[in-house]
Amino acid sequence: MTANGIASIGECMLELSGQAGPNWRMGFAGDTFNTLWALHALSPERPATYVSAFGDDPFSRDQIGFFAQNGIGIGNSPVIAGARPGLYAITLTGAERAFTYWRSDAAARQLASDPVALEKSLENQALVYFSGITLAILDNAARKILLAAIATARSTGSLVAFDPNYRPRLWQSRETAQAAILEALAVADIALPTFPDEQMLFADETPQATAERLGKLVGEVVVKNGEQPALIAMNGEAQTVEAVHVATPVDTTGAGDSFNGGYLAARLAGHAPADAARRAHKVAAAVVQVRGALAPFETLRAAFDS
Ligand SMILES: Nc1ncnc2c1ncn2[C@@H]1O[C@H](COP(=O)(O)OP(=O)(O)O)[C@@H](O)[C@H]1O
Ligand SMILES: O=C(O)C(=O)C[C@H](O)[C@H](O)COP(=O)(O)O
């Protein structure tokens, strides 16, 4: 059987976005889910699986129902009695987002609790995607199980993409994050970092320094940098691709994740890296103009094809 699917591994939370007070709007989001959402919008012919662990409370059931309504399955992800999803709220200063989390006992922390189920969820995938947030919510033993399952999928032909997405609050120490992220890069074919994260974590002085450092570890690297150009490093060659100018961004939550979804969908469809990054910028520019991390499929498709 040809591997045709797309799997993304991590934590999808309940999301509060919009305005504080009685007008909060509740959705579902999380970096790896946001990327899968865009990927699925842009590659609808590929079976899409969100690999995580879920609870059995009404919110977990709603979340799984929301995925299903939108054509996204959960593979062999465990559903754990008594567990529940995490929650985060977005507060904005202008369009720049900050997050408050309630997630320390979320079901997703058990996503590697059944190694056999995890490996099964990663079978027959053309693409396996995960992030530094996926690593940050796991303990050491669970991280090892996850990376082993990803390495197995890669050895059977899956392309592996990884966004380090550094969230200092989720890690015990910067050194732990550095070590785990380097281990993840060792099993990745495509790395999709954001420059300010890499600057914080590895003290890179410029996006070029990030691209050079990661280019020695991974064959294909795209460094995002907000409204600044993205930098592609592939096989020792560097290219820059200008972002789209957005006059009035509303909420930058999910911009990087949606960029990744656009980039990977384009690469899976056979577009060259620079063309993929141009499409990804357009997708991300559409996402910064909506509140919350997810934009409607039609909005994403129109941006990708424009
Ligand atoms: N203000 C902006 N105007 C236009 N595009 C933006 C803006 N902010 C982000 N983007 C788009 O989103 C992508 C990712 O944004 P970035 O801020 O680097 O990532 P993250 O959301 O991971 O912090 C950028 O490469 C760009 O395409
Ligand atoms: O922080 C987390 O754990 C989340 O997953 C919440 C957000 O949905 C993403 O962080 C958004 O990611 P950006 O694309 O970088 O804006």
Side-chain angles (χ1 to χ4, degrees):
M1 193 165 135
T2 321
N4 186 39
I6 301 169
S8 181
I9 315 165
E11 176 176 14
C12 182
M13 294 170 281
L14 311 179
E15 178 194 74
L16 298 178
S17 65
Q19 284 165 326
N23 298 322
W24 281 114
R25 174 186 158 274
M26 200 196 82
F28 301 104
D31 69 330
T32 46
F33 182 73
N34 308 340
T35 298
L36 185 66
W37 177 266
L39 260 164
H40 181 56
L42 304 171
S43 316
E45 72 290 353
R46 293 181 181 275
T49 305
Y50 193 62
V51 181
S52 187
F54 300 90
D56 63 351
D57 65 304
F59 290 96
S60 300
R61 284 203 296 272
D62 272 8
Q63 191 179 54
I64 295 170
F66 171 78
F67 296 177
Q69 268 164 29
N70 288 288
I72 296 173
I74 63 164
N76 290 68
S77 301
V79 175
I80 297 160
R84 58 186 183 170
L87 166 74
Y88 82 110
I90 304 169
T91 43
L92 295 169
T93 307
E96 201 41 59
R97 82 280 192 278
F99 305 132
T100 306
Y101 302 119
W102 298 264
R103 68 192 298 183
S104 52
D105 63 349
R109 299 202 169 217
Q110 300 181 56
L111 67 80
S113 61
D114 183 341
V116 175
L118 180 59
E119 284 204 9
K120 201 121 199 66
S121 292
L122 300 185
E123 281 174 4
N124 296 317
Q125 306 296 349
L127 176 74
V128 172
Y129 178 81
F130 70 120
S131 80
I133 298 178
T134 316
L135 302 176
I137 61 167
L138 302 178
D139 62 24
N140 257 327
R143 273 204 288 272
K144 282 206 169 23
I145 293 170
L146 172 72
L147 291 179
I150 292 170
T152 300
R154 190 181 190 214
S155 71
T156 58
S158 304
L159 192 69
V160 176
F162 174 71
D163 181 342
N165 236 350
Y166 180 47
R167 298 283 184 274
R169 269 177 296 162
L170 298 183
W171 290 97
Q172 268 177 353
S173 70
R174 187 164 170 249
E175 291 69 29
T176 315
Q178 286 174 339
I181 285 171
L182 289 173
E183 278 184 56
L185 290 164
V187 297
D189 301 292
I190 303 180
L192 297 161
T194 296
F195 172 62
D197 290 357
E198 299 302 301
Q199 192 172 36
M200 240 190 307
L201 183 57
F202 288 103
D204 293 336
E205 289 190 352
T206 58
Q208 286 73 13
T210 300
E212 263 172 48
R213 181 174 54 79
L214 293 179
K216 293 184 189 134
L217 305 173
V218 182
E220 183 168 344
V221 179
V222 186
V223 184
K224 294 157 279 169
N225 191 16
E227 59 196 325
Q228 302 302 313
L231 204 64
I232 304 172
M234 199 168 164
N235 307 325
E237 302 235 338
Q239 273 177 291
T240 53
V241 181
E242 295 290 326
V244 174
H245 176 68
V246 177
T248 48
V250 171
D251 176 354
T252 56
T253 308
D257 308 329
S258 309
F259 179 101
N260 295 350
Y263 184 82
L264 294 169
R267 294 291 287 136
L268 287 175
H271 296 284
D275 185 25
R278 264 188 292 278
R279 289 171 184 269
H281 275 314
K282 289 193 266 187
V283 169
V287 171
V288 304
Q289 296 178 69
V290 301
R291 286 191 187 270
L294 306 182
F297 285 168
E298 282 316 314
T299 306
L300 299 171
R301 288 180 190 137
F304 186 80
D305 291 326
S306 66

